[in-house]
Amino acid sequence: MRPTLGINGISANTPVIAVDIPNKQGIKSHEWQRYIVTVDHLEQETGYDFLPNIPESIQTRLESQKATLNS
């Protein structure tokens, strides 16, 4: 990713992290990483299109990938 290029700096390899953290008591001790989901999941749950300005071929790949974090 090249931030100075704006949207033109985004590729199918740009990392995306989406999280769906419930708004409820008792999860404060949980690590946020347990709530990692795909952008597709969030779009389905919310009805929002989170990456509408990215070309469809790139958007499809980014939205379907679930982030993995290296410790």
Side-chain angles (χ1 to χ4, degrees), residues 45-63:
E45 292 294 311
T46 65
Y48 290 111
D49 183 5
F50 288 104
L51 306 172
N53 296 325
I54 297 174
E56 190 66 35
S57 61
I58 295 173
Q59 186 180 148
T60 299
R61 180 162 175 191
L62 294 180
E63 290 179 350

Side-chain angles (χ1 to χ4, degrees), residues 1-70:
M1 183 175 79
R2 297 179 60 196
T4 58
L5 296 178
I7 200 161
N8 293 322
I10 297 173
S11 74
N13 297 316
T14 300
V16 175
I17 299 174
V19 293
D20 187 7
I21 300 174
N23 184 15
K24 66 180 186 179
Q25 296 290 323
I27 66 166
K28 185 176 181 180
S29 63
H30 298 171
E31 293 191 14
W32 67 269
Q33 293 90 335
R34 88 185 314 182
Y35 301 107
I36 293 174
V37 296
T38 65
V39 173
D40 280 336
H41 170 82
L42 287 181
E43 288 181 336
Q44 184 177 9
E45 292 294 311
T46 65
Y48 290 111
D49 183 5
F50 288 104
L51 306 172
N53 296 325
I54 297 174
E56 190 66 35
S57 61
I58 295 173
Q59 186 180 148
T60 299
R61 180 162 175 191
L62 294 180
E63 290 179 350
S64 66
Q65 295 179 352
K66 187 173 179 180
T68 56
L69 305 177
N70 298 327

